[in-house]
Amino acid sequence: GDSLSLADISLAVSLNSATLAAAKPSDGSVLGEWQAMMTPQIETPSTASGGGSGVLLNGPAPPVENKLYRRNRIRIKEILASNEYLNQTITVAGWARTTRNANKGQLLFVELNDGSTGESLQCVLDAEKTEGFAECKNSGGTGASFQFVGTLIPSQGAGQAVEVAVTTGKLLGAVYGGDLEGLEIGGNLYPMSKKAHTLEHMREHAHLRPRGRVHAAAMRIRHAMAYATHTFFHNNGFLYIHTPILTGADCEGAGEQFAVTTLLGSDHLKPGVTLPVHEPPPPEDPEKKISKKEQKRLAKMAAKEKKNVDPTKPVEEKVIGAVDYSTDFFGKRVNLTVSGQLNV
């Protein structure tokens, strides 16, 4: 084809010296044909610096253009970081932190946040200039999601340096908090509002915590700390090991609190679920006598089983009356991992 894969590059590096020493492009050999085919696509650092368009065998890699994923919008973080987009038409999208009407309902101010930064971008919608104004106005307020297309201009009011004069507004998701059934657009019963919320309130609505300023800031700090930690160990030759979430190993008894089983069934409301247990062995008949031949056979079987026991594996202890996990998904008791170190 017209592209070069990692496999091609690896092969070129491995055989480059061999082909240069043992074959020429015109000698008709297999290596020669391969060299003739690959030479136009591979450059050495010295020839690449002269304006070629090949692949460097060493040195810094050329910039890669991501063709698999492209944003159809500009992140608010990038907009507020510089004046690059000033007086240009941009597309932004996100959730409304606050909305307010002005000029007798002819203006709509939306404080938009997309999660890329803790700061918000003010977007101004005009009833006479903005397409989709009525739909955006009837959004339910805080928590609604929008996509705006407009011009980034210096802000005319205090509190922000720039704002977006919206020409086209699109309501992506309204807030249905106007009634208990969730059928009416409105924010009366929506958990989020313009005011700040207590941590207890946000804990009751955990799925909305990233929308709050406190939790969003805490998550960004955790991200920065985790990134710095991983970068430090990566640069010093360590590997990050993903330990299993589920394990049969118990660490200091802590795993007993978080058992995982399929024996309870899929219906968590079904009453009277009976778990299988280890039954006691049937009672022996005192009047039944065992012949010497049978005694020898049983003794030989017991010795054979004892000999086949692997000393490196734990012995499964069957306690009479305890839960029998042999029919469970994993065939034994499994808990949540409480010690990744023990697994490693």
Side-chain angles (χ1 to χ4, degrees):
D2 58 353
S3 61
L4 198 63
S5 67
L6 291 177
D8 295 327
I9 297 174
S10 176
L11 184 62
V13 173
S14 301
L15 300 179
N16 185 47
S17 59
T19 55
L20 293 178
K24 296 182 180 180
S26 59
D27 65 358
S29 65
V30 176
L31 290 177
E33 294 178 2
W34 175 85
Q35 177 71 9
M37 179 183 64
M38 296 297 294
T39 299
Q41 302 186 47
I42 301 179
E43 298 179 2
T44 61
S46 58
T47 57
S49 62
S53 59
V55 178
L56 297 178
L57 294 181
N58 53 41
V64 178
E65 181 182 356
N66 190 352
K67 298 181 180 180
L68 298 178
Y69 173 75
R70 292 181 181 176
R71 288 191 178 92
N72 295 322
R73 61 182 177 87
I74 301 176
R75 297 192 305 168
I76 294 178
K77 179 179 181 180
E78 299 167 358
I79 297 174
L80 300 179
S82 66
N83 296 326
E84 177 184 356
Y85 302 100
L86 193 62
N87 298 321
Q88 294 187 16
T89 301
I90 61 174
T91 301
V92 294
W95 292 268
R97 279 184 169 172
T98 63
T99 61
R100 63 182 178 88
N101 299 322
N103 195 19
K104 298 181 180 181
Q106 296 300 304
L107 293 178
L108 176 64
F109 293 88
V110 178
E111 184 185 352
L112 196 71
N113 184 271
D114 61 0
S116 62
T117 177
E119 301 293 330
S120 299
L121 180 65
Q122 179 170 278
C123 302
V124 184
L125 288 75
D126 192 320
E128 298 180 355
K129 301 178 181 179
T130 303
E131 180 183 350
F133 177 85
E135 182 185 26
C136 294
K137 186 178 180 180
N138 186 32
S139 62
T142 301
S145 56
F146 301 92
Q147 183 185 61
F148 294 139
V149 179
T151 305
L152 185 69
I153 61 175
S155 179
Q156 302 178 8
Q160 60 278 330
V162 293
E163 62 187 20
V164 178
V166 180
T167 56
T168 303
K170 182 179 181 181
L171 177 63
L172 300 179
V175 174
Y176 290 86
D179 57 359
L180 293 176
E181 290 77 15
L183 302 176
E184 181 182 343
I185 295 178
N188 294 332
L189 301 178
Y190 190 66
M192 303 290 289
S193 63
K194 295 181 180 180
K195 66 178 183 178
H197 299 287
T198 63
L199 297 179
E200 288 75 14
H201 176 81
M202 299 303 297
R203 191 175 294 114
E204 294 177 358
H205 307 280
H207 65 292
L208 296 175
R209 285 189 298 180
R211 307 275 184 87
R213 297 178 185 269
V214 174
H215 287 86
M219 290 179 182
R220 289 187 179 90
I221 295 174
R222 292 182 61 177
H223 162 75
M225 296 174 64
Y227 176 77
T229 303
H230 283 270
T231 302
F232 171 81
F233 284 106
H234 172 77
N235 292 339
N236 286 274
F238 290 87
L239 294 177
Y240 178 61
I241 304 299
H242 290 269
T243 56
I245 299 177
L246 304 178
T247 179
D250 191 10
C251 178
E252 300 177 358
E256 298 175 356
Q257 302 297 323
F258 308 101
V260 180
T261 180
T262 59
L263 297 178
L264 299 177
S266 58
D267 186 3
H268 65 283
L269 298 177
K270 182 180 180 180
V273 178
T274 303
L275 297 179
V277 297
H278 292 291
E279 301 291 344
E284 297 182 359
D285 187 359
E287 298 181 356
K288 183 179 179 180
K289 295 182 179 181
I290 302 177
S291 62
K292 292 184 178 181
K293 184 178 181 180
E294 181 67 15
Q295 291 179 2
K296 290 182 179 180
R297 189 185 68 83
L298 295 175
K300 185 180 293 186
M301 288 182 57
K304 185 177 181 181
E305 292 179 358
K306 186 177 180 180
K307 184 178 180 181
N308 293 334
V309 172
D310 189 349
T312 62
K313 296 183 178 180
V315 179
E316 183 180 359
E317 183 180 1
K318 296 182 179 180
V319 179
I320 305 302
V323 178
D324 182 9
Y325 290 97
S326 60
T327 59
D328 203 353
F329 183 84
F330 295 100
K332 60 180 179 180
R333 176 168 180 165
V334 172
N335 312 307
L336 291 181
T337 301
V338 294
S339 175
Q341 183 181 10
L342 176 64
N343 177 271
V344 174

